[in-house]
C-alpha cells in the first residue's frame, strides 16, 4: 500500500501541495481528480521522487521512501506514465519498451508476450519510431513501457488527455484488467470524470494544493465531485 501523509511540496517559495494525504491499495484504482494547475502532477512528482517534498511522509510497502532517489523508487516497483507520455521520438517502439528494462535484473530483460495481448497495436509497430505514432498509440506505448518494469504501483497522469474515444476505451479496459488481477496499486490522475468514475474505488479531489474531497466512490456525492472539476 502507498501511504501519503501531510505532504507539502514547494516550487521555490510557491506552495503547490499543502498537507496532502492519500492511500492507494493493491488491487484498487485510486483516482486523483482536479482542475488544471491544482497540483495533480506535483503529487505524482512527490511520489516518484521527481521533486522533493518539504514536509510529510510517503510510505510504500511499509517503508519510508520520501527521500529515496527516483531510480530507487522505480526499483521498488513504482512506475510512472507521465503526462504528455514522454515517448522517445527517435527510438523505435521496441527500443522505447526496452528502456523499461533498466530496473530489472538481466535475466528478466525480455518483453513479455502479454504486453502485446494488452496492446496488440504495438506488435505491428515495433520498428516504427515513437515520434511517428499517433497520440493514442504513444499513450499505449507509454503504459506498456511502464508495465515492462513489472510495477506494484502504477501511476498514470491524465492518460486520456488529447486521445480519441476508441483508444480511451481500450486504455480503460487495460486499467480494469490490471486492477482485477489484484497485483498492483493503480493511482490514476484525471480531469475526465466519467473515465475516472468507472474505474475508481477511491476518489481524492484536489483544489489549489488542498484535498477538498476524499472517500470511497460510492460514498461521495457525484454532483459535489463534478462541481469541483468544472471551471
Ligand atoms: N516546475 C515548476 N516550477 C514552478 N511552478 C510549477 C512547476 N510545475 C508546476 N508548477 C505550479 O504548481 C502548480 C501545480 O501544478 P501541477 O502541474 O502539479 O498541476 P496539475 O494539477 O497537474 O495541472 P494540469 O491539469 O494542468 O496538468 C501550478 O500552479 C503550476 O503552475
Ligand atoms: Mg498535470
Amino acid at each position: 500500500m502507498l501511504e501519503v501523509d501531510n505532504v507539502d511540496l514547494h516550487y521555490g517559495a510557491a506552495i503547490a501541495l499543502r498537507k496532502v494525504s492519500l492511500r492507494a491499495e493493491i488491487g484498487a484504482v485510486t483516482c486523483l481528480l482536479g482542475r488544471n494547475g491544482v497540483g495533480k502532477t506535483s503529487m505524482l512528482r512527490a511520489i516518484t521522487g521527481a521533486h522533493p517534498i518539504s514536509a510529510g511522509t510517503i510510505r510504500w510497502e511499509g517503508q519510508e521512501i520520501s527521500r529515496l532517489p527516483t531510480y530507487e523508487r522505480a526499483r521498488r516497483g513504482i512506475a510512472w506514465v507521465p503526462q504528455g507520455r514522454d515517448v522517445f521520438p527517435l527510438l523505435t517502439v521496441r527500443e522505447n519498451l526496452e528502456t523499461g528494462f533498466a530496473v530489472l535484473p538481466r535475466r528478466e530483460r525480455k518483453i513479455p508476450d502479454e504486453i502485446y495481448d494488452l496492446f496488440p497495436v504495438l506488435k505491428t509497430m515495433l520498428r516504427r519510431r515513437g515520434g511517428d505514432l499517433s497520440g493514442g498509440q504513444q499513450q499505449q506505448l507509454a503504459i506498456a513501457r511502464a508495465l515492462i518494469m513489472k510495477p506494484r504501483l502504477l501511476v498514470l497522469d491524465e492518460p486520456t488527455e488529447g486521445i480519441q474515444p476508441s483508444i480511451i476505451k481500450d486504455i480503460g479496459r487495460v486499467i480494469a484488467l490490471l486492477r482485477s488481477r489484484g497485483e498492483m496499486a493503480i493511482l490514476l490522475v484525471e480531469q475526465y470524470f466519467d473515465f475516472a468514475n468507472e474505474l475508481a474505488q477511491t476518489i481524492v479531489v484536489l483544489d489549489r494544493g488542498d484535498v477538498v474531497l476524499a472517500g470511497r466512490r460510492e460514498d461521495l456525492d457525484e454532483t459535489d465531485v463534478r462541481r469541483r472539476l468544472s471551471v
Side-chain angles (χ1 to χ4, degrees):
M1 170 150 91
L2 174 76
E3 301 162 283
V4 174
D5 283 297
N6 296 312
V7 161
D8 289 355
L9 182 148
H10 288 81
Y11 296 110
I15 191 158
L17 296 175
R18 208 176 288 109
K19 288 199 173 298
V20 170
S21 300
L22 64 82
R23 298 279 179 277
E25 287 175 27
I26 301 281
V29 175
T30 305
C31 277
L32 183 60
L33 297 172
R35 287 186 280 249
N36 284 121
V38 297
K40 303 182 298 298
T41 297
S42 301
M43 187 69 250
L44 299 191
R45 290 192 185 120
I47 292 165
T48 57
H51 194 87
I53 59 174
S54 21
T57 57
I58 302 173
R59 295 168 69 79
W60 168 238
E61 296 181 328
Q63 290 180 318
E64 164 95 48
I65 58 162
S66 326
R67 271 144 204 95
L68 295 179
T70 315
Y71 67 85
E72 181 55 35
R73 299 190 209 194
R75 275 198 343 119
R76 291 180 187 213
I78 300 178
W80 185 18
V81 182
Q83 188 167 17
R85 316 181 268 272
D86 287 359
V87 159
F88 299 104
L90 299 180
L91 298 187
T92 64
V93 167
R94 181 190 291 280
E95 288 163 344
N96 266 282
L97 290 172
E98 288 172 351
T99 61
F101 287 166
V103 301
L104 295 178
R106 213 162 279 282
R107 62 176 186 287
E108 288 179 32
R109 295 184 178 179
K110 181 179 172 296
I111 301 172
D113 287 337
E114 84 135 326
I115 292 291
Y116 305 125
D117 298 338
L118 293 174
F119 302 105
V121 68
L122 296 181
K123 189 163 192 172
T124 65
M125 297 194 165
L126 284 173
R127 291 143 91 79
R128 214 169 296 175
R129 289 190 185 207
D132 294 337
L133 270 53
S134 74
Q137 291 161 349
Q138 288 189 19
Q139 188 61 259
Q140 295 177 86
L141 174 55
I143 298 170
R145 180 177 62 186
L147 293 177
I148 297 266
M149 297 165 59
K150 305 194 172 126
R152 294 187 303 283
L153 172 61
L154 179 66
V155 303
L156 305 118
D157 198 347
E158 299 201 41
T160 65
E161 197 179 23
I163 306 282
Q164 65 186 74
S166 68
I167 297 188
I168 290 180
K169 279 218 179 86
D170 290 341
I171 291 173
R173 270 194 291 269
V174 168
I175 294 173
L177 178 71
L178 294 171
R179 179 191 60 196
S180 72
R181 287 189 187 156
E183 291 162 0
M184 65 176 76
I186 300 172
L187 179 59
L188 173 64
V189 162
E190 265 303 333
Q191 291 193 53
Y192 177 14
F193 176 78
D194 293 322
F195 182 79
N197 197 46
E198 266 184 31
L199 292 165
Q201 274 72 58
T202 307
I203 288 179
V204 178
V205 185
L206 274 183
D207 196 1
R208 289 190 221 156
D210 287 311
V211 173
V212 290
L213 279 177
R216 293 157 57 87
R217 186 192 54 171
E218 60 270 27
D219 298 337
L220 291 176
D221 179 24
E222 187 177 323
T223 325
D224 259 1
V225 178
R226 282 187 190 275
R227 195 159 41 84
R228 298 286 186 175
L229 297 178
S230 58
V231 191

